[in-house]
Amino acid sequence: QGKAGGRDALSFYQRGLSDRLRARTQLEEELRQAIARREFIVYYQPRMGVQPGEVVGAEALVRWRHPQRGLVLPGEFIPLCEEVGLMRDLGRQVFEQAARQQAAWIAEGHRLKLSVNLSPREFEDPALLPDLERTLAATGCPPQAIELEITESMLIDEGDQPLRMLQGMRALGLSIALDDFGMGYSNLAYLQRFPFSTLKIDRSLVQAPPHERPLAEAIVALCRAMKLRPVAEGVENACQHQWLLAQGVRDFQGYLFARPMPVLEFEAMLNGCRSLTPEPASPAP
Ligand code: C2E
Ligand code: MG
Ligand code: MG
Ligand code: MG
């Protein structure tokens, strides 16, 4: 009896495992097709300045427009793309869409900093720099208008590969942001070893309860001392916004202002923001 029960339990577990493997294999196959069919689109989340409604930049965030499941978020497919070697192709598609879009905005007279995320696999790829350079040239996007976002985990390397990669990006004219700062084992020495322009303060610090605020405040002060531009991520309420403004933060992202959105919606917001600049006073009737 007990033995039979044990065997059933085991076969149940095995079935569970093989189901998961099958689901994974199926997702991998779907992802390959989705990349070939270009089902990925870039959403844009505005980076806000200090003036009400002022958009100073945007972060490109990929979404999968799945034919059955609708819009799928990156957390659901990026890890598998990384694992099975699909991230290079996906990342290149994202960068190309973003660069093309940025070139169009520049042609329309917008001056935005557009940031694009890189994954660990992309960051290790020796073909990355030549590919980025080629895409910038092909789209007509000036490198100065693009910022690449990387995370600290990509910098943990015995050798000088990460530094060389970042220097290569700078040499192309791209700027570099350190993303999610304060989330993991934030290594302060990295801030002077690597050529960052921007430091993105992780939303866990931005959303910290008031008694935990001194840490974020110290990071903002550190940015000032090191001439890094702090960007607050994940600003969800006016209270967080006011506090960070008082600390001297000038750039903000978060649901308080806007969620990541499709390009047309983002452009509507950009144009709305333009008309927010005060009209010259018209003579009273
Ligand atoms: P991230 O680069 O730190 O991007 C910020 C994430 O926080 C985005 O999630 C954004 O939608 C979300 N967010 C923005 N404001 C708020 C807020 O006020 N509250 C909260 N709770 N969340 C907010 P998303 O788009 O799901 O992306 C998740 C992560 O996936 C990104 O984190 C980034 O690491 C990665 N990712 C997204 N797009 C790409 C891409 O094109 N390439 C690569 N390599 N990674 C990407
Ligand atoms: Mg990011
Ligand atoms: Mg982030
Ligand atoms: Mg992240």
Side-chain angles (χ1 to χ4, degrees):
Q1 260 259 252
K3 207 177 160 195
R7 202 166 55 225
D8 282 347
L10 185 68
S11 66
F12 175 78
Y13 177 68
Q14 285 175 328
R15 201 175 323 128
L17 194 65
S18 67
D19 281 353
R20 283 202 299 279
L21 278 173
R22 202 174 309 119
R24 214 186 101 105
T25 310
Q26 193 190 324
L27 178 60
E28 181 182 339
E29 189 45 44
E30 277 188 80
L31 282 167
R32 278 182 206 287
Q33 287 183 10
I35 288 169
R37 295 177 184 155
R38 299 188 164 261
E39 287 173 3
F40 296 92
I41 50 163
V42 176
Y43 270 39
Y44 297 90
Q45 184 180 36
R47 182 187 290 185
M48 310 302 290
V50 278
Q51 303 305 322
E54 182 196 8
V55 180
V56 297
E59 178 171 5
L61 294 158
V62 68
R63 268 90 180 103
W64 179 8
R65 211 161 28 182
H66 192 284
Q68 283 88 42
R69 282 190 278 153
L71 210 64
V72 184
L73 293 174
E76 305 235 4
F77 57 85
I78 284 189
L80 189 60
C81 284
E82 278 280 275
E83 241 181 90
V84 301
L86 290 170
M87 201 56 218
R88 178 196 278 196
D89 288 344
L90 175 58
R92 299 302 193 272
Q93 286 188 16
V94 169
F95 188 81
E96 195 193 327
Q97 271 187 50
R100 196 174 297 288
Q101 190 58 68
Q102 176 65 310
W105 285 330
I106 291 170
E108 287 164 22
H110 294 292
R111 291 293 172 266
L112 304 166
K113 187 65 115 176
L114 181 59
S115 61
V116 181
N117 293 280
L118 290 179
S119 71
R121 284 293 194 87
E122 291 176 88
F123 189 70
E124 288 165 5
D125 181 358
L128 178 68
L129 288 182
D131 284 0
L132 297 186
E133 189 172 20
R134 192 168 340 102
T135 303
L136 290 166
T139 56
C141 176
Q144 291 72 19
I146 301 274
E147 181 170 83
L148 299 173
E149 297 194 2
I150 65 151
T151 53
E152 285 177 286
S153 60
M154 304 182 201
L155 304 173
I156 306 167
D157 185 304
E158 312 295 301
D160 57 358
Q161 255 337 95
L163 179 59
R164 296 235 302 265
M165 181 59 103
L166 296 179
Q167 286 170 338
M169 292 167 173
R170 293 296 293 254
L172 285 184
L174 297 158
S175 53
I176 304 157
L178 184 57
D179 202 359
D180 303 337
F181 190 79
M183 189 187 76
Y185 308 88
S186 295
N187 186 329
L188 296 183
Y190 286 175
L191 296 184
Q192 54 188 9
R193 191 174 315 151
F194 299 108
F196 304 117
S197 313
T198 301
L199 190 147
K200 299 192 78 173
I201 303 172
D202 190 65
R203 70 167 182 264
S204 59
L205 292 176
V206 166
Q207 298 176 355
H211 70 277
E212 289 177 16
R213 284 179 172 178
L215 182 54
E217 293 170 4
I219 290 174
V220 174
L222 193 62
C223 284
R224 192 173 299 123
M226 305 200 62
K227 309 219 161 17
L228 291 166
R229 196 164 181 93
V231 176
E233 291 196 273
V235 182
E236 291 187 358
N237 62 51
C239 173
Q240 294 158 357
H241 185 212
Q242 287 310 311
W243 157 58
L244 291 159
L245 270 173
Q247 298 306 312
V249 177
R250 291 289 170 266
D251 294 68
F252 303 89
Q253 268 180 259
Y255 296 167
L256 174 63
F257 310 100
R259 297 191 173 244
M261 50 190 146
V263 63
L264 288 179
E265 252 178 78
F266 180 78
E267 287 176 346
M269 184 167 168
L270 275 184
N271 296 325
C273 135
R274 229 187 226 161
S275 64
L276 278 177
T277 54
E279 298 280 314
S282 50

mmCIF file of all heavy atoms in Angstrom, residues 129 163-174:
data_model
loop_
_atom_site.group_PDB
_atom_site.id
_atom_site.type_symbol
_atom_site.label_atom_id
_atom_site.label_comp_id
_atom_site.label_asym_id
_atom_site.label_seq_id
_atom_site.Cartn_x
_atom_site.Cartn_y
_atom_site.Cartn_z
ATOM 1 N N LEU A 129 29.027 45.968 -29.787
ATOM 2 C CA LEU A 129 29.420 47.326 -30.186
ATOM 3 C C LEU A 129 29.344 47.551 -31.701
ATOM 4 O O LEU A 129 28.726 48.522 -32.148
ATOM 5 C CB LEU A 129 30.802 47.677 -29.653
ATOM 6 C CG LEU A 129 30.900 47.916 -28.144
ATOM 7 C CD1 LEU A 129 32.315 48.312 -27.756
ATOM 8 C CD2 LEU A 129 29.918 48.986 -27.713
ATOM 9 N N LEU A 163 34.852 46.870 -18.049
ATOM 10 C CA LEU A 163 35.329 48.243 -18.224
ATOM 11 C C LEU A 163 35.598 48.532 -19.696
ATOM 12 O O LEU A 163 35.229 49.590 -20.220
ATOM 13 C CB LEU A 163 36.602 48.474 -17.391
ATOM 14 C CG LEU A 163 37.209 49.882 -17.516
ATOM 15 C CD1 LEU A 163 36.205 50.950 -17.093
ATOM 16 C CD2 LEU A 163 38.492 49.999 -16.690
ATOM 17 N N ARG A 164 36.202 47.561 -20.380
ATOM 18 C CA ARG A 164 36.492 47.772 -21.805
ATOM 19 C C ARG A 164 35.211 47.951 -22.606
ATOM 20 O O ARG A 164 35.139 48.777 -23.525
ATOM 21 C CB ARG A 164 37.309 46.594 -22.347
ATOM 22 C CG ARG A 164 38.690 46.468 -21.705
ATOM 23 C CD ARG A 164 39.814 46.447 -22.733
ATOM 24 N NE ARG A 164 39.672 45.360 -23.683
ATOM 25 C CZ ARG A 164 40.275 44.178 -23.561
ATOM 26 N NH1 ARG A 164 41.059 43.925 -22.529
ATOM 27 N NH2 ARG A 164 40.093 43.253 -24.481
ATOM 28 N N MET A 165 34.194 47.169 -22.253
ATOM 29 C CA MET A 165 32.917 47.282 -22.949
ATOM 30 C C MET A 165 32.318 48.676 -22.742
ATOM 31 O O MET A 165 31.872 49.334 -23.689
ATOM 32 C CB MET A 165 31.963 46.194 -22.442
ATOM 33 C CG MET A 165 30.622 46.189 -23.101
ATOM 34 S SD MET A 165 30.697 45.966 -24.901
ATOM 35 C CE MET A 165 30.229 44.254 -25.054
ATOM 36 N N LEU A 166 32.317 49.139 -21.496
ATOM 37 C CA LEU A 166 31.740 50.457 -21.216
ATOM 38 C C LEU A 166 32.539 51.570 -21.899
ATOM 39 O O LEU A 166 31.967 52.531 -22.426
ATOM 40 C CB LEU A 166 31.665 50.702 -19.707
ATOM 41 C CG LEU A 166 30.730 49.762 -18.939
ATOM 42 C CD1 LEU A 166 30.749 50.086 -17.451
ATOM 43 C CD2 LEU A 166 29.297 49.845 -19.459
ATOM 44 N N GLN A 167 33.850 51.421 -21.905
ATOM 45 C CA GLN A 167 34.673 52.428 -22.590
ATOM 46 C C GLN A 167 34.389 52.436 -24.085
ATOM 47 O O GLN A 167 34.356 53.490 -24.719
ATOM 48 C CB GLN A 167 36.167 52.172 -22.317
ATOM 49 C CG GLN A 167 36.553 52.570 -20.901
ATOM 50 C CD GLN A 167 37.954 52.102 -20.505
ATOM 51 O OE1 GLN A 167 38.488 51.157 -21.095
ATOM 52 N NE2 GLN A 167 38.528 52.748 -19.500
ATOM 53 N N GLY A 168 34.151 51.252 -24.632
ATOM 54 C CA GLY A 168 33.793 51.154 -26.047
ATOM 55 C C GLY A 168 32.480 51.875 -26.345
ATOM 56 O O GLY A 168 32.337 52.555 -27.365
ATOM 57 N N MET A 169 31.527 51.734 -25.441
ATOM 58 C CA MET A 169 30.242 52.420 -25.618
ATOM 59 C C MET A 169 30.434 53.928 -25.575
ATOM 60 O O MET A 169 29.873 54.667 -26.390
ATOM 61 C CB MET A 169 29.267 51.990 -24.512
ATOM 62 C CG MET A 169 28.845 50.545 -24.648
ATOM 63 S SD MET A 169 28.030 49.968 -23.144
ATOM 64 C CE MET A 169 27.505 48.351 -23.723
ATOM 65 N N ARG A 170 31.222 54.374 -24.597
ATOM 66 C CA ARG A 170 31.493 55.806 -24.491
ATOM 67 C C ARG A 170 32.197 56.323 -25.743
ATOM 68 O O ARG A 170 31.906 57.413 -26.232
ATOM 69 C CB ARG A 170 32.344 56.105 -23.250
ATOM 70 C CG ARG A 170 31.621 55.838 -21.953
ATOM 71 C CD ARG A 170 30.426 56.753 -21.805
ATOM 72 N NE ARG A 170 30.846 58.126 -21.644
ATOM 73 C CZ ARG A 170 30.808 58.799 -20.514
ATOM 74 N NH1 ARG A 170 30.319 58.244 -19.424
ATOM 75 N NH2 ARG A 170 31.208 60.057 -20.455
ATOM 76 N N ALA A 171 33.116 55.517 -26.253
ATOM 77 C CA ALA A 171 33.850 55.931 -27.454
ATOM 78 C C ALA A 171 32.902 56.085 -28.646
ATOM 79 O O ALA A 171 33.125 56.927 -29.514
ATOM 80 C CB ALA A 171 34.959 54.932 -27.764
ATOM 81 N N LEU A 172 31.834 55.294 -28.668
ATOM 82 C CA LEU A 172 30.837 55.450 -29.739
ATOM 83 C C LEU A 172 30.000 56.711 -29.547
ATOM 84 O O LEU A 172 29.301 57.135 -30.460
ATOM 85 C CB LEU A 172 29.877 54.257 -29.764
ATOM 86 C CG LEU A 172 30.365 52.924 -30.332
ATOM 87 C CD1 LEU A 172 29.215 51.912 -30.335
ATOM 88 C CD2 LEU A 172 30.885 53.121 -31.748
ATOM 89 N N GLY A 173 30.010 57.271 -28.347
ATOM 90 C CA GLY A 173 29.216 58.470 -28.080
ATOM 91 C C GLY A 173 27.964 58.191 -27.264
ATOM 92 O O GLY A 173 27.173 59.089 -26.989
ATOM 93 N N LEU A 174 27.773 56.915 -26.867
ATOM 94 C CA LEU A 174 26.605 56.536 -26.071
ATOM 95 C C LEU A 174 26.851 56.893 -24.606
ATOM 96 O O LEU A 174 27.992 56.905 -24.163
ATOM 97 C CB LEU A 174 26.382 55.020 -26.184
ATOM 98 C CG LEU A 174 26.072 54.512 -27.588
ATOM 99 C CD1 LEU A 174 26.399 53.018 -27.714
ATOM 100 C CD2 LEU A 174 24.602 54.760 -27.924
#
